[in-house]
Each structure stands twice: as C-alpha cells, then as structure tokens.
Amino acid sequence: MLNHVSGVRLFYKRISSIFCALVALLILPGTFATSLAQEAAKSGAVATSQGFMDPAGPVAAAQLSHFGTISLIMAALVIIPIFIAIPIILIRYRRGARGAYKPDWEFNWGVELFIWGLPVVIIILLATALWKDTHKYDPYTPLGEDPLQIQVVSLDWKFLFLYPEQGIATVNFLALPEKRPVTLTLTSGTVMQSFMVPRLAGQIYTMAGMTTKLNLIADEPGTYLGRNMQYNGTGFAAQSFRTEVMAHDAFTAWAEKMRNAPKQLNWQGYETLLKPSIVREPMLYSSFDPELFNKIITSFAPERLNMTADMHKQHGHQEVAKVNK
C-alpha cells in the first residue's frame, strides 16, 4: 500500500512538472514579445504587427499556409496518435490488466512496419511541402514587373533605407506603395543581422560585404512593425522600425515631399550613422550618394580592411578592432 501511494505521488509530481514546463513555454514568448513591443514603441516604431498569423501580403500569407500544412501533418501523424496511444497502452498494460506478458518476444512485422514506415511517410510529406514552397516563394524571385528597388543597410542599432529610383533615404522608416512589387537588396554595415517585417515577409539575414535579396508585396495600407531578429548587442531590443504602406498616389506625394528634407546623406554622414546608437525618431534625407550602397559593400574588401588597419596602427589607434566588432 505504501509503495502504491509513493508511486501515485511520484506520478502526480511528474505531471505537475510537465504542466509547469508547458505553461512556461506558453508564457515566456508572450512576455518576450511584450518587451519587444515596448522597446519598439520607445524607438518610434508602431507595434501594430500581429506577425505572419495576420498576413498583409502574399508572402506572409503563403508562410501561414505552409505553417498550417506542416502543423496539420505533424498533428495528424504524430501528436494525435501519441495522445490516443498513451492512455491505451497505460490501460492495457497496467498491473492486473489483460496485456500479455511475452519475455521471449523478438520480432513482429506489424510493429516493424509501423515504427519504420511512419517516420518515412512523415519525412516524405514534410520534404514535399518544404521543397514546393521553398521554390515557389524563393526570396530572390521578383513578384511582378517593375518592382520598387530599395537598398537596406543594417547598422547598430538601426536600419538605413536607400531609394535609388526616388533619390531619397530614411533611417528607421520604410515607406512602401500598396500592391506594387518591392525588391529589397540588403547588406550590413556591422555584424550579421536579420531583417523582418512579419506581416509582409519572412526574415532574411544581412552580412557585411555581401548582399541578399527579399521580395514582397503589401496588399493593404497600414503601419507594420519591422525589426532585427538577430542579437547584436545592448541596443538589440530597440532596433525596430516603422513600415508605412501607402496608396500609390500617397507614396508618390511622400517621395516628392521628402526631396525638401533638410539633410543630405554622404559618406561622412554614413560614418556618423555607423557609430552604435539607438534612433528614437525616423531620420529623413532628401538625397544620398548614388554609390553609397556599393561603397558600403566594398569597404569590407580585404585590401580595404588591411589598409584601414595599417593607417590606424600608424596613428597609434589600437581600438579599431573593438569598434569594428
């Protein structure tokens, strides 16, 4: 009797531990998201985004569909069978039940086919869905004719957006026209970071001296939250930006108005932006050096880095490595 009571207590203790762990898994992401939203509000970004679960473009909608397909496969073939099988096994093989005791049992074709066949089926279904959607929604593939070209530079702890077609630039403010394809060409001026506007497209990494691309379309006007998803130092939580989707005429008017902004962005201005800082309000530039994006990329060429390091050593500045990091 004592052993039975101890066993019951141990069982409930384990169940309680599992329950607490599940609650923590449910609560912590929400807490983390709330803290990010608070930091986003402080940095001037409007935290209206509900993530890809509330898509505002075809790319995010496709991601939601893909997520649903994967979840359905896993639920139908893994989660539901497990929750059905566990109580059946516990009832059938409990003490005093009808489960047969076969200490000399070695092989059964049905069991072998099940334990090997089911994982194979799961892998085939998941691989098929992944292969199909990966090629269908390749981030490098334009989503239509005449896409708006935007160059993106991730910095510590802000994003620089260059509009070659309009000749304007912004910091921590991304303006997009409604229903027009957009091609983002991205790089990093510092460490590797991850660019993401959850309601419009998935995340894409930015790396120094290299470029990546991301194509998207915004279906409806609105204000969405974008941010860096890759930890890059003490200002990471505040590295958010506002994405404003406008009607076509409104976007054209905004671009014309931007040409009257008092600031122009050149290489010296970029070097100021390059210093780690948190931008609380968007910065607007009426013009920028057309070669600025290419200069940022080539600044990480090995010969340029070696030359810069030699120059700093000659002048006794030994902290350049720490600054670059």
Side-chain angles (χ1 to χ4, degrees):
M1 182 65 180
L2 183 61
N3 291 336
H4 177 70
V5 173
S6 300
V8 171
R9 289 178 177 176
L10 180 61
F11 172 77
Y12 280 108
K13 184 177 180 181
R14 290 178 178 177
I15 292 296
S16 300
S17 301
I18 294 173
F19 178 76
C20 292
L22 290 175
V23 170
L25 288 174
L26 292 173
I27 293 177
L28 288 177
T31 305
F32 180 65
T34 302
S35 65
L36 290 182
Q38 292 172 348
E39 288 294 337
K42 292 178 183 178
S43 63
V46 180
T48 61
S49 175
Q50 300 299 319
F52 77 102
M53 300 295 288
D54 183 21
V59 177
Q63 291 178 330
L64 179 59
S65 175
H66 179 71
F67 176 76
T69 301
I70 299 301
S71 300
L72 181 62
I73 293 173
M74 296 302 295
L77 298 182
V78 179
I79 299 175
I80 294 177
I82 287 176
F83 278 95
I84 293 175
I86 287 178
I88 292 176
I89 292 174
L90 292 177
I91 293 173
R92 180 175 177 80
Y93 293 100
R94 74 188 189 279
R95 181 180 297 179
R98 298 179 181 179
Y101 176 63
K102 299 180 180 179
D104 299 325
W105 179 87
E106 294 182 355
F107 184 83
N108 183 281
W109 273 109
V111 174
E112 291 294 326
L113 289 175
F114 177 78
I115 64 176
W116 290 104
L118 184 60
V120 171
V121 172
I122 294 174
I123 292 172
I124 292 174
L125 293 176
L126 293 178
T128 301
L130 180 61
W131 178 272
K132 177 183 175 181
D133 286 353
T134 297
H135 287 272
K136 184 177 180 180
Y137 299 104
D138 180 2
Y140 278 68
T141 302
L143 300 177
E145 298 180 355
D146 189 30
L148 173 65
Q149 300 290 336
I150 301 177
Q151 298 167 338
V152 183
V153 184
S154 60
L155 302 170
D156 294 334
W157 294 281
K158 48 198 169 284
F159 282 95
L160 169 64
F161 301 99
L162 307 174
Y163 294 76
E165 183 179 331
Q166 290 73 24
I168 56 179
T170 64
V171 174
N172 275 8
F173 181 77
L174 176 61
L176 302 175
E178 177 190 12
K179 298 186 183 303
R180 180 181 176 182
V182 177
T183 296
L184 304 175
T185 305
L186 307 98
T187 191
S188 175
T190 58
V191 297
M192 182 175 74
Q193 300 180 35
S194 181
F195 175 94
M196 186 178 188
V197 184
R199 291 190 65 188
L200 298 180
Q203 63 177 325
I204 194 81
Y205 283 92
T206 65
M207 291 163 280
M210 304 172 63
T211 61
T212 52
K213 287 186 180 294
L214 181 65
N215 286 273
L216 56 87
I217 298 178
D219 285 340
E220 57 189 37
T223 302
Y224 310 123
L225 175 67
R227 64 168 292 102
N228 170 34
M229 305 300 295
Q230 174 75 29
Y231 181 75
N232 62 333
T234 56
F236 161 73
Q239 191 173 347
S240 303
F241 61 89
R242 188 166 84 246
T243 300
E244 194 76 31
V245 178
M246 314 172 186
H248 178 75
D249 293 340
F251 176 80
T252 303
W254 171 81
E256 288 294 332
K257 183 180 179 180
M258 278 285 297
R259 293 189 176 93
N260 297 322
K263 295 182 180 180
Q264 294 84 35
L265 183 61
N266 53 24
W267 183 257
Q268 289 72 26
Y270 170 75
E271 288 184 325
T272 301
L273 289 175
L274 190 58
K275 298 176 182 178
S277 64
I278 296 174
V279 175
R280 299 297 183 184
E281 295 293 334
M283 302 171 64
L284 310 176
Y285 299 90
S286 60
S287 63
F288 66 93
D289 180 0
E291 292 298 317
L292 180 60
F293 191 76
N294 292 331
K295 289 179 180 178
I296 294 172
I297 295 173
T298 56
S299 67
F300 289 93
E303 58 272 14
R304 290 287 301 275
L305 291 175
N306 293 334
M307 181 177 65
T308 303
D310 292 340
M311 291 176 60
H312 279 272
K313 287 181 179 179
Q314 292 174 5
H315 290 83
H317 299 291
Q318 302 297 329
E319 297 297 319
V320 63
K322 294 182 180 179
V323 173
N324 287 336
K325 291 180 180 178

